């Protein structure tokens, strides 16, 4: 058995400033119909969650950053942020796996 | 001896047979190359056709660029072999880093499907060799992510090095500098959003695509 732990990574991908975000603009324009007139600067993006097995937190961050930079975002159009939490305890990871596997 | 053109097929490609048919109509040979192949089988040119490789999941071309065939194409291109990416094929080539820039969603979030007028910007590419700059061609476009973009430095480089291959006469998608197609520094890798293979038969309303595909075949020296 290895001593590697399971971490949870969240990668958020946003369009770079200056790249048109017609989706965000369209969503923002719909808000007055909801009676909301206080929202500005709405941007649409993508979020990816996954688990990473690594020796430590720094190793998990490095792996998640590689995934974000080389696959999840296109650096010409997008920028990304990585948030890594954990390690998740083994019991918790098993429970989450079981919950995800039902139905 | 006729040139042999390899037409790459990803799960979700849908223009490969159009390319095969139009290339054969011009007197060359064409064969399909499955994306899992890591060898191009000695073809003289490669075309990455349009479609929706891997369902355009994540981003158009983002998954396809990891296919084994892309490594073979990169080697072929590095040796000077002619490579053309049409529409989704163009997106794959930018994701693979074989061409600069990226294709973002069209201006106004509009899917465009129409025949547009193109102007040849340079004759120094494998797709436009022998075609006088300024020549106008009517060729269909059919895309949602065809809005070409790149940073200011890349754009200056493309202009200074005469690497903008085709421009739209009436820009349908918001592409920077009206760019419809670009080439690499070696001029042997070209990407374009319009579909020349859909403009090779009078029945389809234009035969101007033959000019481009003929230039490609002219640049493809049979082994």
């Amino acid at each position: 058995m290895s001593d590697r732990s399971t971490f949870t990574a969240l990668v958020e991908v946003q369009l770079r400033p200056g790249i048109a975000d017609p989706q965000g603009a369209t969503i923002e324009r719909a808000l007055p119909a909801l009676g909301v007139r206080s929202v500005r600067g709405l941007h649409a993006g993508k979020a990816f969650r996954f688990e990473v097995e690594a020796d430590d937190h720094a190793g998990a961050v490095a792996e998640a950053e590689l995934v974000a930079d080389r696959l999840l975002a296109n650096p010409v159009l997008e920028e990304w942020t990585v948030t890594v939490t954990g390690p998740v305890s083994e019991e918790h990871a098993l429970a989450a796996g079981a919950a995800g596997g039902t139905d | 001896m006729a040139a042999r053109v390899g037409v790459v097929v990803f799960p979700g490609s849908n223009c490969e047979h159009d390319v095969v048919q139009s290339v054969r109509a011009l007197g060359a040979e064409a064969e399909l190359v499955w994306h899992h192949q890591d060898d191009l089988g000695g073809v003289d040119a490669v075309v990455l056709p349009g479609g929706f490789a891997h369902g355009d999941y994540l981003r158009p071309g983002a998954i396809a660029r990891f296919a084994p065939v892309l490594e073979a194409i990169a080697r072929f291109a590095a040796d000077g072999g002619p490579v053309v990416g049409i529409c989704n094929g163009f997106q794959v080539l930018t994701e693979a880093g074989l061409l600069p820039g990226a294709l973002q969603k069209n201006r106004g979030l509009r899917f465009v499907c129409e025949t547009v007028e193109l102007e040849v910007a340079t004759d120094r590419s494998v797709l436009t060799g022998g075609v006088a700059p300024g020549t106008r061609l009517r060729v269909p476009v059919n895309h949602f992510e065809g809005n070409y973009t790149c940073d200011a430095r890349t754009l200056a480089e493309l202009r200074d090095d005469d690497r903008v291959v085709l421009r739209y006469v009436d820009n349908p998608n918001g592409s920077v500098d009206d760019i419809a197609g670009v080439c690499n520094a070696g001029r042997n890798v070209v990407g374009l959003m319009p579909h020349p293979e859909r403009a090779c038969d009078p029945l389809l309303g234009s035969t101007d695509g033959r000019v481009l595909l003929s230039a490609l075949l002219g640049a493809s020296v049979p082994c």
Side-chain angles (χ1 to χ4, degrees), chain B residues 8-41:
Chain B
V8 182
V9 184
F10 299 98
S13 297
N14 64 14
C15 298
E16 67 272 28
H17 293 292
D18 308 58
V19 175
V20 166
Q21 184 152 336
S22 54
V23 163
R24 285 182 182 158
L26 290 168
E29 294 175 21
E31 58 196 68
L32 299 178
V33 178
W34 183 236
H35 71 126
H36 275 181
Q37 285 181 225
D38 55 10
D39 186 300
L40 295 171

Side-chain angles (χ1 to χ4, degrees), chain B residues 143-160:
Chain B
H143 59 245
F144 185 47
E145 281 109 344
N147 180 349
Y148 184 79
T149 188
C150 59
D151 61 39
R153 192 172 55 85
T154 304
L155 181 60
E157 226 175 79
L158 289 173
R159 283 175 176 158
D160 294 349

Side-chain angles (χ1 to χ4, degrees), chain A residues 16-53:
Chain A
R16 285 187 177 281
I19 297 288
D21 178 15
Q23 192 177 195
T26 304
I27 294 167
E28 188 176 317
R29 277 202 303 276
L31 286 173
L34 195 64
V36 174
R37 291 170 200 285
S38 54
V39 171
R40 300 282 180 277
L42 192 153
H43 291 283
K46 299 176 193 167
F48 304 87
R49 281 176 209 281
F50 50 93
E51 291 181 354
V52 190
E53 268 190 37

Side-chain angles (χ1 to χ4, degrees), chain B residues 3 5 22-23 26-28 44-47 80-84 120 122-133 135 137 165-166 187-188 190 192 196 200 207-222:
Chain B
V5 178
S22 54
V23 163
L26 290 168
D44 305 306
V46 174
V47 174
V83 176
V84 172
V120 175
T122 180
D123 57 357
R124 297 168 59 209
S125 86
V126 291
L127 195 63
T128 52
V131 186
T135 300
L137 304 169
V165 175
L166 295 161
R187 305 186 174 281
N188 61 313
V190 176
L192 73 164
C200 287
T207 56
D208 291 355
R210 288 178 184 168
V211 172
L212 299 174
L213 294 181
S214 297
L216 173 65
L217 297 176
S220 311
V221 184

